[in-house]
Amino acid sequence: RKIFSAAAIPGDAKVGDRLEGYVYIILGGEEAQGVAQTLRRSYILRLALAMTAGTLLLALATGFYLFATLSRRLRRLTSAVESFQPVTHGPAASPGGHALAPPHRDEIDRLEAVFTRMAERIEAQARERERADRQRRELVSNVSHDLRTPLAALQGYLETLSMKEGRLTPEEQRSYLDIATRHGERLTRLVSELFELAKLDAREVPLHVEPFSPGELVQDVAQKFQLAAQSNGQRLETDFAADLPFVCADIGMIERVLENLIENALRYTPEGGVVTIALLPGDNKIVVEVRDTGRGIPEQDLPHIFERYYRAQGQPEAPGSAGLGLAIARRILELHDSTITARSAPGAGTVFAFPLPLCPAQSPPAP
């Protein structure tokens, strides 16, 4: 099969004219054929090749097993650390702005990214705890001051009545008793608001969500303050359409929010000023606004007015105010998944606004 060329070998003419044979010329075939036959026939070589392949496969499987065994604890640690991370939506990023490791990276990269996030969260929580501790100390100091002032006044007037019994005129006795009563009422109100705010912070107040007419609620709350507004020379007005749809919320808590906002507006509105409660229809909601024509709030103080006991710089302490009304209003609205905002300018009055959702079965009113 590998003949390259062939030639006949004639016989000797003396002997006879017969063919002696052929010459086959094969170029390089014998050596290649010998090597191939040797390889095919070599059982030892085939066995060695099989053992080499088997050894490589075994080494590869052993390597994968050892890697999986050694990295198992690392994966468990990574998963445990990741379980403490908050659920986020969209592209993941750490609080400090560092991008997280992509999912195809190995466990060490993931652990590094998760550890960085956790460290930043711990630092943020530590700063938040320091701020909360500072506010708590300020709260204790303010509460102590607000409790001590009416208590001292109450005790002073009662001691005066006791020591001067029989020597005071009926008018003086009545005046002292009236002052002591007012301080007692202020003390009672402060303690009540502190308990109310504490229960709201602890979410111990259940929500009783029900449909109700916002116009009727505003009208009822406004009537409660009409006499107080008139006695101070102020006007309390309402502004809303008659066919507003019902909203869904806890009517008792929303009434409390309106009372706090109206009290605050009347407290800082001068004589002759106007306080307006308006209801503005919107997309699947009604926006409640309490406007006043008071002195207004400086821009630098607006972000802080809902903090407990915060008082704007240069703002005199309002009589009868415990400084918790706006904080209570904000906390109630947070429980309703709503937010309260304020816009104001010095000398231009203040507007507080918050939305209330329409009941699901209703549509927003036609324009």
Side-chain angles (χ1 to χ4, degrees):
R1 290 173 300 182
K2 296 184 179 181
I3 296 174
F4 179 78
S5 182
I9 303 175
D12 191 353
K14 296 178 180 181
V15 177
D17 197 8
R18 63 191 179 95
L19 185 64
E20 292 291 336
Y22 293 91
V23 176
Y24 298 96
I25 301 174
I26 302 172
L27 300 179
E30 290 294 333
E31 182 179 358
Q33 186 176 4
V35 172
Q37 289 177 353
T38 302
L39 290 176
R40 283 196 300 268
R41 295 173 183 175
S42 176
Y43 172 76
I44 297 177
L45 184 58
R46 291 199 302 270
L47 182 61
L49 291 175
M51 292 181 63
T52 301
T55 302
L56 290 175
L57 291 175
L58 180 61
L60 185 62
T62 304
F64 276 119
Y65 174 75
L66 291 176
F67 178 78
T69 302
L70 295 175
S71 62
R72 184 182 304 155
R73 289 187 294 175
L74 181 60
R75 290 197 303 271
R76 284 204 302 263
L77 176 61
T78 303
S79 300
V81 174
E82 284 181 334
S83 66
F84 285 95
Q85 301 301 313
V87 178
T88 57
H89 302 281
S94 65
H98 301 289
L100 300 183
H104 63 272
R105 301 292 294 274
D106 58 25
E107 284 78 7
I108 295 179
D109 291 327
R110 289 172 53 207
L111 182 60
E112 179 185 5
V114 172
F115 180 81
T116 301
R117 273 197 305 173
M118 180 172 290
E120 291 173 347
R121 287 187 62 208
I122 292 174
E123 291 177 359
Q125 290 173 353
R127 291 191 296 268
E128 181 65 22
R129 183 177 295 274
E130 290 178 359
R131 188 183 69 85
D133 288 341
R134 184 171 59 254
Q135 289 182 343
R136 188 179 299 110
R137 289 192 295 270
E138 293 176 357
L139 176 64
V140 171
S141 175
N142 291 329
V143 170
S144 301
H145 173 267
D146 284 351
L147 290 175
R148 186 168 54 249
T149 300
L151 279 174
L154 182 62
Q155 182 179 1
Y157 280 103
L158 292 178
E159 288 179 352
T160 301
L161 286 172
S162 176
M163 289 185 299
K164 295 185 177 181
E165 183 179 4
R167 290 179 290 170
L168 296 174
T169 64
E171 291 77 12
E172 290 176 332
Q173 292 181 2
R174 173 56 56 187
S175 174
Y176 285 4
L177 287 174
D178 289 342
I179 296 174
T181 301
R182 287 198 299 270
H183 283 293
E185 291 174 350
R186 180 183 178 186
L187 186 62
T188 302
R189 176 170 180 169
L190 174 61
V191 173
S192 299
E193 289 187 348
L194 285 172
F195 275 114
E196 182 179 8
L197 192 56
K199 289 192 294 183
L200 290 172
D201 286 339
R203 294 183 177 269
E204 295 179 358
V205 181
L207 289 179
H208 301 287
V209 178
E210 58 181 325
F212 64 89
S213 170
E216 293 181 2
L217 175 62
V218 166
Q219 198 66 42
D220 291 343
V221 176
Q223 289 179 356
K224 294 181 182 179
F225 293 91
Q226 283 291 354
L227 185 59
Q230 292 175 2
S231 63
N232 293 330
Q234 302 163 330
R235 293 204 322 272
L236 182 59
E237 300 177 349
T238 59
D239 180 15
F240 56 87
D243 57 347
L244 288 176
F246 280 26
V247 296
C248 283
D250 188 316
I251 185 172
M253 288 192 176
I254 299 303
E255 181 179 5
R256 178 72 165 128
V257 171
L258 288 173
E259 290 175 349
N260 287 358
L261 294 179
I262 295 173
E263 284 181 355
N264 185 78
L266 293 175
R267 186 177 298 121
Y268 294 104
T269 299
E271 184 178 356
V274 181
V275 175
T276 305
I277 313 166
L279 299 176
L280 309 176
D283 295 334
N284 297 319
K285 65 182 178 181
I286 289 181
V287 179
V288 183
E289 288 189 352
V290 177
R291 313 165 187 158
D292 66 59
T293 58
R295 62 174 68 97
I297 304 172
E299 183 179 357
Q300 66 272 15
D301 294 319
L302 273 178
H304 307 286
I305 59 175
F306 296 104
E307 298 176 4
R308 308 174 189 188
Y309 286 103
Y310 183 81
R311 185 176 295 112
Q313 295 183 359
Q315 192 86 295
E317 181 177 358
S321 171
L324 297 175
L326 294 181
I328 291 174
R330 181 181 67 172
R331 193 70 188 95
I332 290 176
L333 292 172
E334 286 176 350
L335 294 178
H336 284 80
D337 294 325
S338 181
T339 56
I340 184 171
T341 58
R343 59 183 187 271
S344 178
T350 305
V351 178
F352 290 95
F354 61 90
L356 291 177
L358 298 181
C359 293
Q362 299 185 88
S363 301

